[in-house]
Amino acid sequence: SMESNQHYFRAERDKLERWADDKIIASEEALEDTKAKIKTLKRESRQADSLEQQQELQKQLRDLEKQQRRQRQAIFDVEDEIIARRDALINALEQRLKQQIHTQELFTIRWCIPLYTTIRLTH
């Protein structure tokens, strides 16, 4: 039973770690992509020729910065979700460890093995 619990816990832990890594990497990549777009827009804004073009770039920049804040918050949300799933896994493991085994005698079997004696004859 303990070996089965260990195997289950290891498998679930590995699955959780892979899922957590994937979620964090995806969130961080999206954030990096947005940061690169912001950097490009800032450069374009500095080089803008007209006020209209400058205004449009500033609006796009504002929207991207909002998106960047949401993405940062999403990373925190993912980390919170990871912690919650890890806590659930730990709780499940604790429940498995708290399992108690009770024994109850249902019936008794008695048997007897007959003893055979050997008789020695002497001369």
Side-chain angles (χ1 to χ4, degrees):
S1 177
M2 289 300 285
E3 186 176 320
S4 173
N5 285 342
Q6 278 185 327
H7 178 71
Y8 167 79
F9 179 73
R10 283 186 190 129
E12 290 299 309
R13 182 197 58 212
D14 292 345
K15 190 173 19 172
L16 176 65
E17 288 174 358
R18 285 190 306 273
W19 172 83
D21 290 343
D22 290 345
K23 293 283 276 187
I24 289 176
I25 289 170
S27 297
E28 288 175 346
E29 285 176 352
L31 180 60
E32 288 302 316
D33 183 51
T34 301
K35 284 180 180 181
K37 288 177 182 177
I38 289 172
K39 186 177 180 179
T40 301
L41 272 179
K42 284 182 177 181
R43 183 176 52 247
E44 288 176 11
S45 177
R46 284 191 302 270
Q47 298 171 351
D49 295 329
S50 67
L51 286 176
E52 293 83 18
Q53 188 181 17
Q54 180 82 308
Q55 179 187 17
E56 181 59 33
L57 291 171
Q58 287 300 317
K59 286 180 182 179
Q60 291 175 17
L61 188 58
R62 178 193 61 206
D63 293 343
L64 279 175
E65 286 172 342
K66 285 181 184 179
Q67 180 180 346
Q68 182 182 29
R69 283 190 297 279
R70 284 192 304 271
Q71 288 170 330
R72 284 183 179 144
Q73 184 59 48
I75 290 173
F76 294 132
D77 293 343
V78 165
E79 289 172 346
D80 289 345
E81 185 179 358
I82 291 166
I83 290 168
R85 287 193 180 197
R86 186 168 287 129
D87 288 347
L89 180 61
I90 290 168
N91 289 338
L93 177 64
E94 287 173 349
Q95 292 302 316
R96 284 178 174 243
L97 290 175
K98 288 181 183 178
Q99 289 178 348
Q100 296 181 359
I101 298 173
H102 299 283
T103 57
Q104 180 179 0
E105 188 173 309
L106 299 176
F107 55 88
T108 303
I109 299 176
R110 296 177 192 246
W111 70 92
C112 199
I113 301 175
L115 296 175
Y116 294 102
T117 58
T118 50
I119 303 173
R120 289 187 180 183
L121 297 172
T122 59
H123 293 65

